[in-house]
Amino acid sequence: MRTCLSSHCAWLGSRALSSHAVFAFKVQRSMSAAAAPSDRSSHNLRQKGNFNNPDTLTFFTSPLPEDVQQRLQKIGSSVPELGPSSRVIDVGSGTGCLIPHFKDRGVQDILAVDLSEGMLAELSSRYCSTSRTLGNDPGVRTWCGDILDLPNYLGPVDAIFMNGVFGNLFSQRDALLKAALLLRPGGHVVVSHPMGRIWHNQLKLQDPDLVLHELPSSREALDKLIWDLPLKTVEFMDTEDLYLASLQVPPKYALKRGPLKLEGRVVKGYGRGSRQMGVPTANIDPKPLAGQLSGLPNGVYFGWAKLDVPPGWPSTDGYVHKMVMNIGRRPTVSAEGEDDVSVEVHMMHGFSQADFYGQHLKVVAIGFLRPEMKFPGGLSELIARIRADVAISKNQLDDSSLLQYQTLL
Ligand code: RBF
Ligand code: ADP
Ligand code: MG
């Protein structure tokens, strides 16, 4: 263990500092004399302060040993399909140790995200062209801040790398959720450390306030972290000097557990769907579904729906329609004490009648877009996201490969 630490002490690409980097170590200790941060912004301020420090910066601009470079190269090439037309986000880029390895793969469109403007200034001077790239032009760009605050319109991207930063994030789960929302279906998020998990854990022991988390120690631990996210673990490597986990948003957002059939009677909800959001949702009576719902993540699913229509209605109302469904407790809008789980289905069809309470509705969910979230911006932010959910679902369901699931209804 000790040998491992000391043999690599010259490597400074990690987002935390080597135990033998004496000066930086002092900086780190003094920064973290206060109690562990209890909220994201104070945690981020601490990270920023640490990595903006001029002496830390000097450290992070030193050349890397050949063996570390080789492992960074492995990390940079861990997503097989990256190439010239790919878009990549590098979270906790620091001074950009992965960028040459993306460029080796031909990747041109790279967004480096870091809390430290000092790190990004160094990265820019190395890799950003003098004629600034704008909009969707290819090039290396920088964005200073927390990945959680990165506007979603900067996606979709093909791959997101979290190299040497995963233990320093305020919430690992929230960062992976954000990554899932920024990725295209089939895209990857790579969680890595070029010095290995044990080495990283030593840093956490030295300064648990700056390095809040260990790296997930097994595939099962990682799977637990992402159980309610639209991500699946496709690679997990945990060797002495390299940690490399690759997660993928399943192509077409395919449900990890396979298609899910639900059916029941349409019941009254709180009447907010049509009134407040302009998205009516037929609520399926959740009580008889309790068994099926337990162990299922709350969140947004899409697939096909079929309504038993009363006699006299146009037959088109009873056809199979595209649907998007939310299962959950509506945390953004729910009133005090309103904590029942609802199963709400919005069908992408203009029905001939305003409502059809009491009718039987069958659905088959084939994709899972995201977990249910409490939107800090309230109703308007929720509505904007629901519109995106509807648009994404509609688009996915246009693919003829998903037609086969209609027969399950
Ligand atoms: N409510 C939330 O509080 N958070 C969500 O993330 C959320 N996502 C939804 C996604 C879709 C596609 C739909 C139809 C509803 C969603 N809702 C969510 C539930 C929403 O608050 C609910 O439909 C209205 O309150 C009407 O019951
Ligand atoms: P509630 O809170 O009672 O579910 P909503 O405002 O969500 O009220 O409206 C839901 C009702 O609107 C459904 O139960 C259904 O009868 C009707 N409805 C009309 N068009 C649709 C549609 N395209 N998808 C789902 N429900 C619809
Ligand atoms: Mg409803």
Side-chain angles (χ1 to χ4, degrees), residues 42-226:
S42 49
H43 174 70
N44 286 347
L45 270 178
R46 185 184 297 244
Q47 296 284 330
K48 194 179 161 88
N50 190 68
F51 290 99
N52 266 343
N53 184 290
D55 302 301
T56 317
L57 272 167
T58 309
F59 254 83
F60 275 80
T61 50
S62 313
L64 299 173
E66 186 50 34
D67 61 323
V68 179
Q69 280 293 9
Q70 274 169 15
R71 296 195 294 274
L72 289 170
Q73 196 266 335
K74 242 185 197 167
I75 293 166
S77 53
S78 59
V79 178
E81 64 267 29
L82 286 190
S85 61
S86 305
R87 306 185 69 208
V88 163
I89 294 179
D90 184 3
V91 179
S93 60
T95 54
C97 64
L98 275 179
I99 290 182
H101 304 288
F102 299 144
K103 292 192 165 209
D104 282 352
R105 305 290 308 282
V107 178
Q108 297 167 37
D109 188 325
I110 300 162
L111 180 65
V113 174
D114 204 288
L115 284 168
S116 155
E117 50 276 83
M119 293 277 166
L120 289 179
E122 173 64 24
L123 182 148
S124 293
S125 74
R126 292 180 184 191
Y127 303 110
C128 297
S129 61
T130 42
S131 58
R132 297 191 62 123
T133 53
L134 289 171
N136 287 327
D137 288 346
V140 179
R141 287 185 296 277
T142 62
W143 189 86
C144 189
D146 182 335
I147 182 65
L148 293 197
D149 299 321
L150 187 77
N152 284 337
Y153 62 75
L154 289 172
V157 297
D158 302 280
I160 298 180
F161 288 81
M162 299 184 182
N163 178 50
V165 71
F166 200 58
N168 295 49
L169 299 171
F170 184 67
S171 161
Q172 295 179 322
R173 185 260 180 198
D174 289 354
L176 290 176
L177 166 59
K178 178 70 181 192
L181 295 177
L182 285 163
L183 285 168
R184 64 158 170 84
H188 290 78
V189 51
V190 175
V191 174
S192 58
H193 201 298
M195 308 302 285
R197 182 172 59 83
I198 306 297
W199 192 94
H200 165 84
N201 290 349
Q202 287 295 312
L203 295 176
K204 181 181 179 318
L205 285 178
Q206 284 166 19
D207 197 337
D209 300 343
L210 194 75
V211 183
L212 293 186
H213 315 276
E214 296 193 348
L215 302 176
S217 61
S218 64
R219 200 176 177 123
E220 291 68 39
L222 186 59
D223 284 344
K224 201 168 160 197
L225 194 62
I226 59 168

Side-chain angles (χ1 to χ4, degrees), residues 278-295:
V279 183
T281 56
N283 296 28
I284 301 181
D285 186 359
K287 283 177 231 84
L289 302 178
Q292 270 189 290
L293 297 181
S294 82

Side-chain angles (χ1 to χ4, degrees), residues 269-277 279-281 283 299-301 324-334 338 342 344-346 369-375 379 382 385-390 393:
Y270 297 91
R272 300 187 190 109
S274 327
R275 218 176 41 241
Q276 294 186 344
M277 305 190 319
V279 183
T281 56
N283 296 28
V300 182
Y301 298 75
V324 61
M325 166 175 74
N326 186 65
I327 299 180
R329 297 174 199 274
R330 314 154 306 276
T332 314
V333 294
S334 59
E338 177 191 319
S342 61
E344 301 183 56
V345 181
H346 171 68
L369 286 184
R370 64 175 178 89
E372 190 175 47
M373 288 143 67
K374 180 167 179 155
F375 289 90
L379 192 64
L382 169 65
R385 182 61 222 193
I386 289 177
R387 298 240 159 92
D389 294 330
V390 173
S393 303

